[in-house]
Amino acid sequence: MKKIREFAAGGLCLLAMLSGVTGTSAAATPKPVLSWQDCGDGLHCGSLAVPSDWARLDQAPITLGLAKLPATNAAGDHGVLLMNLGGPQAQISAFRQPAFQERFAELRQWFDIVIFDPRGFEASSGVSCPLPAPAEADYVFPDQAAFDAHAERNARFGRGCAATPLAGKLDSWQVAHDLEAIRKALGERKLNYFGNSYCTVYAQAYADLFPGGVGRMYLDSVMDHTNPSLRNWLGQRARANERTLHRFAGWCAAEPSCALHGRDVLTVWDELIARAERQPIPGGGTTVSAEQIVARADIRSERRWPAFATALAEAHAGDATKLATKPVFPPGPDVMRIPTCADFPYPGDYRSVREVEASLRTVAPRLGWRQAWIWAMPCARLPGNGTFPPHRRDFAGVPPVLVVGGVDDDNTPPEWGRHLAAQLPGARYLAAAGDHAVYVDGNVCARARAHRYLTTGQLPPENTVCA
């Protein structure tokens, strides 16, 4: 389960030159052009040629890789459900794991589940970069020199990746056109889509560009791509991050085993940060600065709260040994940051990022303001930054969509999902207990609501909450 959720969280979701680059009519059922071959692990694999640039159809084509998990009950078959679980990153290799397939056994009673590697990843004309993407665990850069050094490494990484027909063509505008090509190649009159986390961005672009092709869309843990205000959008995530710190403090107050039980956790935090700003805290043969404490505050998972409470208590007492080691993040594909920063551009100069930080400190003064630097690390001076930025959308003609969000999600905060649902005609927002990736994480109520919607079109009643 842990690996599944890390995959779904990703950060932070394929033509024989099919006609209609921007068409929106899907009245006629297209003739299928895909063929499938058994490729092991219960999967059937296929490929599809599409333009490398949907804005210039004379460009060399690329290949998109797809895989299918056939429906287990043909009598209840509802056609195809196209699925992408996030990242953005490869999907097919992950679905070779039985644990992934098991999470969708119920859906396979009704649907052929089709997955695809987004353009640039593995089976879909994958992009190989000669240099590794620079990542810095202590991403709250202490000064301009440290930031500039990282930004130049990031720019050099991006320039190395540019020797490909897909340079500048990995954003969700391009992927939305890929989705339309997939729909036609599958012979589906409408596109039924299950998008989680980052791959809800693809759904938003598709619903805007091809509203007539939308069937039923289940969007879980939404990345809102309709808010052009960076500070407002990022402020919502910063506040969610701050709420997690407060939840941690509340847990500590109620849990006798917490190392800070009986103390005001937020006061301890404030005192520790103020002391570290004056002079870094010694520990582990080195010292730990206030910026490092903020960057290393690992509280997203409740399983890690006991260890972090102990580290915080010891640091407050003068020994920061347990905070002295940089955290090790799960590896992600280097290419991931290229489409992410194309869809969500970010300033690449130190002064601008500090201005974003100052804005976030007004709404999330203790911890959430670090979001200014979390986004700066992958995007700073990356070539292709902002080829398809967030913007207001026209979703006229889109049928009702089911949007689901975890009430404690600080990766894709509930505000993002509610904002998107409010713009989609007839859509319903379903709040669910839990964190990121509600369906994959196993919320029984939310899964049942998703099944009912995807098979019948029935939305939950307004203001439904899945406990």
Side-chain angles (χ1 to χ4, degrees):
M1 174 63 73
K2 181 174 182 282
K3 289 184 178 179
I4 295 175
R5 294 186 71 243
E6 286 177 348
F7 174 88
L12 243 239
C13 159
L14 277 135
L15 154 144
M17 290 299 180
L18 298 171
S19 60
V21 175
T22 58
T24 59
S25 176
T29 302
K31 183 179 179 180
V33 299
L34 274 170
S35 61
W36 302 97
Q37 297 82 38
D38 189 317
C39 55
D41 302 306
L43 297 176
H44 296 174
C45 294
S47 61
L48 187 64
V50 298
S52 57
D53 185 354
W54 282 98
R56 296 189 60 189
L57 301 185
D58 59 337
Q59 299 296 296
I62 61 169
T63 298
L64 297 175
L66 303 91
K68 177 171 68 173
L69 285 168
T72 54
N73 181 6
D77 183 25
H78 284 247
V80 171
L81 179 64
L82 190 66
M83 180 178 291
N84 197 304
L85 292 186
Q89 64 190 83
Q91 307 283 306
I92 297 173
S93 57
F95 268 86
R96 292 190 177 280
Q97 302 174 35
F100 268 76
Q101 297 185 20
E102 288 169 8
R103 302 309 297 172
F104 307 103
E106 290 175 276
L107 282 174
R108 290 182 65 193
Q109 296 178 72
W110 308 291
F111 296 97
D112 288 333
I113 294 178
V114 172
I115 54 180
F116 66 100
D117 287 347
R119 54 172 49 216
F121 293 93
E122 288 192 3
S124 292
S125 294
V127 173
S128 297
C129 300
L131 297 173
E136 178 53 64
D138 291 331
Y139 50 80
V140 182
F141 296 98
D143 52 45
Q144 182 164 351
F147 175 82
D148 287 344
H150 168 81
E152 180 49 39
R153 289 194 300 272
N154 204 40
R156 196 159 52 245
F157 157 78
R159 290 193 296 268
C161 300
T164 168
L166 285 171
K169 306 174 187 68
L170 294 177
D171 59 47
S172 58
W173 185 89
Q174 299 281 356
V175 176
H177 288 77
D178 293 343
L179 294 183
E180 177 66 351
I182 295 170
R183 179 191 69 79
K184 293 179 179 180
L186 290 169
E188 292 293 303
R189 189 175 66 86
K190 300 282 186 178
L191 181 70
N192 293 323
Y193 183 80
F194 182 121
N196 180 79
S197 193
Y198 193 89
C199 296
T200 63
V201 178
Y202 301 155
Q204 293 165 64
Y206 183 84
D208 182 23
L209 296 168
F210 302 99
V214 177
R216 293 170 188 157
M217 281 188 167
Y218 171 81
L219 305 182
D220 192 321
S221 305
V222 163
M223 285 277 291
D224 184 12
H225 198 245
T226 68
N227 188 346
S229 170
L230 171 64
R231 297 189 183 187
N232 176 268
W233 178 82
L234 201 53
Q236 292 170 347
R237 181 162 165 165
R239 281 192 291 268
N241 202 191
E242 197 88 345
R243 289 196 297 267
T244 300
L245 179 64
H246 283 255
R247 286 198 304 117
F248 164 71
W251 166 83
C252 214
E255 175 53 59
S257 66
C258 173
L260 290 168
H261 183 67
R263 302 170 65 182
D264 187 322
V265 173
L266 297 180
T267 298
V268 170
W269 172 269
D270 292 342
E271 291 174 351
L272 176 62
I273 295 299
R275 193 184 312 157
E277 286 175 338
R278 294 191 298 270
Q279 183 174 350
I281 311 298
T286 183
T287 59
V288 181
S289 68
E291 292 88 356
Q292 289 170 325
I293 294 171
V294 169
R296 298 174 186 181
D298 187 8
I299 58 172
R300 281 207 60 225
S301 170
E302 295 180 11
R303 293 189 298 271
R304 296 169 183 161
W305 285 359
F308 182 69
T310 300
L312 200 61
E314 292 180 3
H316 188 266
D319 180 5
T321 297
K322 288 187 171 63
L323 295 172
T325 302
K326 287 185 179 183
V328 177
F329 298 141
D334 287 346
V335 181
M336 180 187 293
R337 67 182 58 191
I338 298 176
T340 301
C341 301
D343 287 334
F344 295 94
Y346 205 79
D349 64 285
Y350 181 75
R351 177 175 294 182
S352 295
V353 180
R354 287 299 302 269
E355 290 174 354
V356 174
E357 177 196 314
S359 173
L360 297 185
R361 280 183 179 272
T362 65
V363 298
R366 288 188 168 97
L367 184 66
W369 59 266
R370 67 182 180 175
Q371 295 294 329
W373 299 97
I374 288 178
W375 283 89
M377 185 179 69
C379 295
R381 301 180 197 168
L382 190 71
N385 196 336
T387 59
F388 190 59
H391 57 282
R392 293 182 176 87
R393 297 287 183 38
D394 178 8
F395 291 120
V398 175
V401 172
L402 177 58
V403 181
V404 177
V407 295
D408 295 326
D409 189 357
D410 68 358
N411 187 16
T412 54
E415 292 90 335
W416 288 359
R418 291 184 184 278
H419 182 253
L420 175 62
Q423 300 172 73
L424 288 161
R428 188 63 39 81
Y429 182 82
L430 174 64
D435 191 356
H436 194 67
V438 173
Y439 185 99
V440 172
D441 203 34
N443 184 300
V444 175
C445 165
R447 288 170 66 92
R449 296 291 187 178
H451 298 159
R452 186 176 304 167
Y453 164 73
L454 287 169
T455 56
T456 70
Q458 181 181 344
L459 292 165
E462 288 189 37
N463 301 317
T464 299
V465 176
C466 277

